[in-house]
């Protein structure tokens, strides 16, 4: 990597990226100089390691007309990450231009000033997946076309039979038409058989399972590959309920609901979930894609689709989460030591006459605290994805928890007046630390996004077995189009007011996940102009 580029990570982490199965490259400047590329990306590009240090546009000029160079330039200038799925790219492989499909990310890496110093490019080839889905679509089109032809042939056959019964004088000509109709019918059936055989061979080659569910009787017909994915033997004839029983319990209610919705309301069906094999007890991740077809009267008859094994993809995602967790843990150790040294220096220099020294220490401690929060956030995201974040419920005073959080915030912020109104105390059975994390995050956001000197109001209301906490600020409002996305992972509002406010967009996502695990709800109310009200409700008793 060039010496004038800020290092992304240390040598050990670069070695890990070099060995990663995911194709990875790093561009060092706006001219897209290739500072790092691993073997997986070199294989995609069909290039040797000699391209390191060259500009991407010189190495792969075919990317210019396809728009990829322009997108990378926009990411560098705007600092906004670009993601794409099932994206076609024409690449020269062994001197021949080939069309392949990828899921990829262009991530802008920024320095403390918010300026881009590098772009991290990761990619996964999904050409086989796109081809399989196209086969499913082609099968539907072929079947509809052939059914139409068969229906027309049958109609002609019936008309010809009626002509024979009513007019013997036309018997010879009618018989000739019958023969022709039969020949067309035989040809159509042969064409349908050939198409079905071709599709069957393609599905078998792609190692895809197929299923067919009657909308009225709910009788399920499955392929041998689907039986394997769900752990059944070749001689088993599983019903819909048998298959649902092998799905991991946490996915069963939602999946049942989606099947019922698809059968009653129509539309496509696309879900990913884990299954536990009946006989082999093996855990697999699968993606099920389905579509409803109707008869000539518009009545729904068949619900059919495919099941794809995505276990390797899920395992790769788990490795990424484990990597984030490992790096975060490694970073927390030196940060903890650094925080201790700063606190000791503050105590030693408490009587110092030079206020600048104490101010610098205060600012240093604030930055270390901020880094600690960021690392903790990434760790929590990793735990959520791995299903390892548990709720440890205990009885505690919600009022006392809020007072403690306000007192802690007051030590580092004196620009706002925090008003807390609580008519009565309430004892809640929940995870005190995690509920405190939610309140702390909402209060921190109110401080960041509100003008100095404005009030922040906190209150809660008990209704039945639920307590609802509200936090109102008088800062920038949230537009209607952002309200539903605000709790998505890594989502941040982009405007002139938020350009200088740091963050990764994981705080509100973590708040949402914590409240969900308490069987509660979290939402925001805003007119898009002045101020917002964040609210969350949780059961008072153990969720």
């Amino acid at each position: 990597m060039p010496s004038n580029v800020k290092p992304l990570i240390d040598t050990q982490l670069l070695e890990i990226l070099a060995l990663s199965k995911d194709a990875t490259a790093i561009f060092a400047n706006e001219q897209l100089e290739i500072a790092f590329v691993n073997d997986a990306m070199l294989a995609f590009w069909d290039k040797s390691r000699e391209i390191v240090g060259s500009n991407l546009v010189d190495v792969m000029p075919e990317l210019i007309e396809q728009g990829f160079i322009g997108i990378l330039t926009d990411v560098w200038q705007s600092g906004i990450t670009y993601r794409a799925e099932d994206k076609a790219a024409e690449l020269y492989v062994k001197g021949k231009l080939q069309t392949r499909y990828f899921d990829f990310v262009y991530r802008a890496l920024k320095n403390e000033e918010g300026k881009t110093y590098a772009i991290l490019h990761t990619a996964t080839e999904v050409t086989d997946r796109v081809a399989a889905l196209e086969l499913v679509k082609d099968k539907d089109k072929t079947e509809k076309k052939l059914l139409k032809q068969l229906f027309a042939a049958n109609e002609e056959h019936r008309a010809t039979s009626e002509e024979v019964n009513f007019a013997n004088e036309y018997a010879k000509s009618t018989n000739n038409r019958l023969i022709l109709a039969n020949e067309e019918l035989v040809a159509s059936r042969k064409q349908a058989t050939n198409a079905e055989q071709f599709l069957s061979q393609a599905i078998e080659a792609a190692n895809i399972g197929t299923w067919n569910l009657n909308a009225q009787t709910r009788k399920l017909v499955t392929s041998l590959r689907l039986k394997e994915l769900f752990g059944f033997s070749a001689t088993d004839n599983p019903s819909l309920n048998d298959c649902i029983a092998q799905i991991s319990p946490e996915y069963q209610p939602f999946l049942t609901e989606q099947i019922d919705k698809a059968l009653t309301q129509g539309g496509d069906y696309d879900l990913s979930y884990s299954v536990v094999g009946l006989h082999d007890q093996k855990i697999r991740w699968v993606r099920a894609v389905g579509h409803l077809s109707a008869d000539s009267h518009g009545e729904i008859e068949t619900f059919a689709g495919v099941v794809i094994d995505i276990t390797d993809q899920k395992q790769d995602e788990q490795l990424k989460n484990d990597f984030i967790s490992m790096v975060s843990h490694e970073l927390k150790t030196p940060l903890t030591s650094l925080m201790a040294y700063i606190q000791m220096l503050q105590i030693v220099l408490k009587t110092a006459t030079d206020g600048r020294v104490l101010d610098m220490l205060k600012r240093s401690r604030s930055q270390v605290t901020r880094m600690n929060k960021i690392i903790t956030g990434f760790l929590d995201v990793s735990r959520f994805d791995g299903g390892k974040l548990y709720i440890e419920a205990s009885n505690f005073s919600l009022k006392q928890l809020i007072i403690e959080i306000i007192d802690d915030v007051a030590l580092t912020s004196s620009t706002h007046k925090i008003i807390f109104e609580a008519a009565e105390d309430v004892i809640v059975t929940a995870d005190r630390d995690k509920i405190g994390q939610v309140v702390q995050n909402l209060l921190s956001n109110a401080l960041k996004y509100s003008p100095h000197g404005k009030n922040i109001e906190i209150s809660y209301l008990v209704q039945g077995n639920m307590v609802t906490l509200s936090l109102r600020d008088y800062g920038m409002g949230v537009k209607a189009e952002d309200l539903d996305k605000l709790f998505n992972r890594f989502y941040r509002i982009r405007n002139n007011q938020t350009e200088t406010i740091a963050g990764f967009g994981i705080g509100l996502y973590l708040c949402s996940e914590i409240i969900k695990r308490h069987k509660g709800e979290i939402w925001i109310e805003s007119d898009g102009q002045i101020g917002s009200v964040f609210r969350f409700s949780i059961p008072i008793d153990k969720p």
Side-chain angles (χ1 to χ4, degrees):
M1 181 175 292
S3 59
N4 62 337
V5 178
K6 178 178 178 179
L8 294 173
I9 40 180
D10 61 23
T11 303
Q12 183 181 6
L13 296 183
L14 282 176
E15 291 176 354
I16 293 174
L17 291 175
L19 297 174
S20 173
K21 291 171 62 178
D22 285 342
T24 305
I26 299 174
F27 306 117
N29 51 40
E30 193 169 356
Q31 288 70 44
L32 304 179
E33 178 185 346
I34 303 171
F36 169 83
V37 60
N38 68 0
D39 291 340
M41 186 66 81
L42 288 173
F44 284 170
W45 291 349
D46 193 25
K47 304 294 180 184
S48 67
R49 193 160 294 281
E50 293 176 357
I51 67 172
V52 175
S54 301
N55 293 340
L56 181 63
V57 68
D58 297 327
V59 175
M60 303 181 72
E62 66 269 25
L63 297 181
I64 299 175
E65 292 186 2
Q66 299 179 57
F68 295 104
I69 299 300
I71 295 172
L72 282 164
T73 301
D74 289 343
V75 170
W76 186 280
Q77 294 173 352
S78 67
I80 299 175
T81 294
Y82 180 88
R83 302 173 185 273
E85 292 183 358
D86 298 342
K87 181 74 172 178
E90 294 187 350
L91 303 176
Y92 279 102
V93 179
K94 295 182 179 179
K96 184 178 179 181
L97 199 61
Q98 297 183 6
T99 301
R100 299 157 75 180
Y101 293 85
F102 299 88
D103 292 346
F104 66 87
V105 178
Y106 295 154
R107 186 183 302 281
L109 304 179
K110 304 177 186 178
N111 57 23
E112 292 81 1
E113 299 174 354
K115 295 182 179 180
T116 303
Y117 64 83
I119 293 178
L120 176 63
H121 170 29
T122 58
T124 302
E125 183 171 2
V126 295
T127 303
D128 290 343
R129 183 181 75 196
V130 173
L133 293 178
E134 285 300 320
L135 282 174
V136 173
K137 293 179 182 177
D138 290 342
K139 174 180 177 293
D140 287 343
K141 292 179 181 177
T142 302
E143 285 181 344
K144 289 178 181 178
K145 181 178 179 181
L146 293 177
L147 286 172
K148 207 173 194 181
Q149 293 174 348
L150 287 171
F151 179 79
N154 282 325
E155 286 294 312
E156 187 174 353
H157 182 88
R158 186 178 66 180
T160 304
S161 297
E162 290 175 353
E163 290 177 10
V164 171
N165 293 331
F166 288 99
N168 288 329
E169 62 270 22
Y170 297 110
K172 185 176 180 180
S173 114
T174 302
N175 286 333
N176 290 335
R177 293 176 66 188
L178 276 172
I179 292 171
L180 180 61
N182 281 328
E183 288 176 350
E184 291 178 353
L185 182 61
V186 170
S188 296
R189 287 175 175 169
K190 185 176 181 180
Q191 185 179 0
T193 301
N194 291 339
E196 186 175 347
Q197 289 177 347
F198 174 77
L199 179 61
S200 177
Q201 291 170 355
I203 290 175
E204 183 177 351
N207 212 18
I208 295 174
T210 61
W211 51 272
N212 188 303
L213 180 67
N214 186 289
Q216 280 73 39
T217 64
R218 298 213 173 188
K219 181 179 180 180
L220 181 68
V221 179
T222 63
S223 68
L224 179 61
R225 175 56 178 159
L226 187 141
K227 293 178 183 180
E228 292 175 357
L229 291 174
F230 280 74
F232 295 105
S233 65
T235 57
D236 290 335
N237 293 306
S239 66
L240 176 61
N241 289 335
D242 293 334
C243 291
I244 291 176
Q246 300 314 126
I247 296 171
S248 300
E250 62 266 29
Y251 295 100
Q252 289 183 16
F254 178 71
L255 184 125
T256 303
E257 177 186 340
Q258 291 303 305
I259 292 176
D260 292 338
K261 182 178 178 181
L263 290 173
T264 55
Q265 301 179 18
D268 293 332
Y269 170 89
D270 190 343
L271 291 175
S272 297
Y273 48 83
S274 58
V275 297
V276 181
L278 175 65
H279 297 304
D280 59 14
Q281 293 298 298
K282 185 176 180 179
I283 298 175
R284 301 176 180 88
W285 277 90
V286 299
R287 179 186 178 191
V289 180
H291 181 75
L292 278 85
S293 61
D295 61 12
S296 59
H297 302 291
E299 296 293 333
I300 296 175
E301 284 189 336
T302 304
F303 186 31
V306 298
V307 173
I308 306 169
D309 188 345
I310 59 171
T311 304
D312 291 342
Q313 177 184 336
K314 284 292 183 179
Q315 288 175 345
D316 287 344
E317 291 176 2
Q318 184 60 46
L319 286 174
K320 293 176 186 176
N321 288 332
D322 292 343
F323 174 74
I324 291 174
S325 179
M326 176 193 71
V327 173
S328 299
H329 277 296
E330 291 298 321
L331 288 174
K332 283 183 72 72
T333 300
L335 277 179
T336 302
S337 300
L338 181 58
M339 174 66 84
Y341 291 141
I342 291 174
Q343 290 174 332
M344 291 174 62
L345 283 172
Q346 285 181 309
I347 295 172
V348 172
L349 297 174
K350 187 175 282 188
T351 58
T353 56
D354 190 345
R356 292 176 301 173
V357 175
L358 290 176
D359 183 61
M360 285 188 288
L361 284 173
K362 181 180 178 182
R363 292 175 182 271
S364 299
R365 181 175 179 180
S366 175
Q367 290 301 313
V368 172
T369 300
R370 177 172 168 269
M371 289 180 67
N372 239 324
K373 289 181 179 178
I374 292 172
I375 293 171
T376 300
F378 279 120
L379 276 172
D380 286 342
V381 169
S382 178
R383 294 189 186 110
F384 277 128
D385 289 345
K388 298 176 181 177
L389 197 143
Y390 304 103
I391 299 300
E392 298 179 3
S394 63
N395 298 328
F396 64 90
S397 164
L398 182 61
K399 182 176 182 178
Q400 184 60 37
L401 174 64
I402 296 172
I403 291 173
E404 290 176 10
I405 293 172
I406 293 174
D407 289 343
D408 289 341
V409 171
L411 294 175
T412 57
S413 176
S414 59
T415 56
H416 295 72
K417 183 178 180 181
I418 303 174
I419 302 172
F420 174 42
E421 297 180 357
E424 59 176 329
D425 195 3
V426 57
I427 303 300
V428 178
T429 304
D431 191 314
R432 191 179 194 276
D433 291 339
K434 292 182 177 60
I435 296 299
Q437 183 178 344
V438 174
V439 178
Q440 174 77 45
N441 189 281
L442 296 181
L443 184 54
S444 297
N445 282 350
L447 293 171
K448 285 195 296 184
Y449 293 98
S450 300
H452 288 186
K454 293 290 185 179
N455 292 345
I456 296 174
E457 300 168 0
I458 304 176
S459 62
Y460 60 75
L461 177 66
V462 177
Q463 292 178 307
N465 189 47
M466 303 293 290
V467 58
T468 301
L469 185 142
S470 303
L471 190 148
R472 178 186 296 274
D473 65 63
Y474 295 89
M476 62 183 74
V478 179
K479 295 181 179 179
E481 59 265 28
D482 292 316
L483 291 176
D484 293 336
K485 306 173 186 175
L486 207 57
F487 297 98
N488 293 347
R489 179 163 56 174
F490 302 127
Y491 183 79
R492 295 195 69 211
I493 297 175
R494 302 290 182 180
N495 56 41
N496 294 334
Q497 294 171 294
T498 61
E499 283 293 327
T500 58
I501 301 176
F504 289 93
I506 59 175
L508 291 178
Y509 163 74
L510 292 173
C511 291
S512 174
E513 290 298 320
I514 289 172
I515 296 303
K516 286 179 183 177
R517 278 166 169 73
H518 282 82
K519 301 190 183 304
E521 294 183 73
I522 186 168
W523 68 97
I524 177 177
E525 299 169 3
S526 178
D527 60 5
Q529 300 296 322
I530 300 177
S532 304
V533 181
F534 282 88
R535 305 186 197 275
F536 71 81
S537 62
I538 58 173
I540 295 175
D541 297 329
K542 184 175 181 180

